[in-house]
Amino acid sequence: LEVRITPAATPQEIRNKILLCDMAKRFGDGPLTVAQWPSAAGGWNDVALEADLHAKKFRAEPYFYVMHFVKQPDKETTDTPAMPHCRHYALRIDTRERAVALARALSQWPYICYRIRGIDACANEVGCRPEVFGTAFRFLRNFRTEDFFREHRLFPEPVPLLSATYHAGEDFYDIADGLRAIDEAICFLELRRGDR
């Protein structure tokens, strides 16, 4: 099963979202030990999480996470002749920041690498072309954490790479616009076989 959540603006917030959802599920399944629950200061016990990873408990879970970037209509910008902005400028900046935060979370915590398996873009596609997310998708698809794992020697097996989903051609002004959106998604997001 996929659990879709929007990526937060910082690596710590992304990590906390994932851990909170996982701990809530574990709480529903049965009792949690004191070592597994976050402390009153708001911190998670990294030793307990690493132990769970070594025992492969969370890799066997029947669900995983997909980071869901949100499409939005273009906002008016305050362009000046000396400093023009491209369309969806604010959304591009926000998406870039969230993609970098996600990459940092994947690099810092092995646990997160095993829980997040994909990226997606959601919401109404009319008024927000696929190329707006092109840089973020390509960056995250080509991001590798193997060097981190090799350096720290935590796990011998490679971490799964992120898959991609992009909804295109479902909502359009006319058939040519829908076909164009599909073509743009394939080209700009570098979608490959196995992506959706």
Side-chain angles (χ1 to χ4, degrees):
L1 299 174
E2 291 181 6
V3 177
R4 296 183 181 193
I5 59 175
T6 57
T10 67
Q12 191 69 35
E13 290 174 328
I14 291 172
R15 176 180 185 248
N16 289 344
K17 273 185 172 185
I18 300 292
L19 292 175
L20 189 60
C21 291
D22 281 350
M23 291 300 157
K25 190 221 183 250
R26 291 184 84 184
F27 181 77
D29 289 346
L32 290 173
T33 65
V34 174
Q36 293 168 324
W37 201 251
S39 68
W44 298 91
N45 186 329
D46 287 327
V47 175
L49 288 172
E50 296 299 325
D52 281 347
L53 266 181
H54 283 292
K56 299 186 178 182
K57 288 181 183 175
F58 282 97
R59 285 180 263 180
E61 288 286 356
Y63 67 98
F64 56 89
Y65 295 91
V66 173
M67 290 290 123
H68 221 41
F69 292 93
V70 181
K71 300 174 194 171
Q72 299 171 5
D74 198 5
K75 297 177 182 175
E76 290 185 28
T77 59
T78 55
D79 287 348
T80 63
M83 183 70 75
H85 290 297
C86 60
R87 57 185 179 170
H88 289 92
Y89 178 76
L91 180 58
R92 289 171 198 265
I93 297 298
D94 182 64
T95 301
R96 181 179 68 198
E97 290 172 359
R98 292 174 190 273
V100 169
L102 178 55
R104 287 188 176 140
L106 292 169
S107 292
Q108 291 175 9
W109 298 291
Y111 176 83
I112 300 302
C113 291
Y114 285 101
R115 301 306 293 134
I116 298 174
R117 296 295 177 89
I119 52 177
D120 187 10
C122 65
N124 188 352
E125 67 181 279
V126 172
C128 189
R129 306 304 301 184
E131 53 96 8
V132 172
F133 299 95
T135 304
F137 267 62
R138 289 192 310 270
F139 168 69
L140 290 169
R141 294 296 300 279
N142 295 315
F143 180 76
R144 300 286 189 266
T145 56
E146 286 91 349
D147 293 338
F148 172 80
F149 286 100
R150 196 175 301 113
E151 179 183 330
H152 295 281
R153 302 183 192 284
L154 294 174
F155 304 104
E157 67 267 18
V159 175
L161 298 177
L162 296 175
S163 297
T165 303
Y166 193 88
H167 298 266
E170 298 171 352
D171 191 12
F172 46 82
Y173 294 115
D174 57 42
I175 193 70
D177 181 55
L179 293 172
R180 176 185 168 199
I182 294 168
D183 186 58
E184 286 181 1
I186 293 168
C187 292
F188 292 119
L189 307 179
E190 292 182 355
L191 297 180
R192 337 184 239 260
R193 182 175 296 165
D195 292 336
R196 297 181 298 170

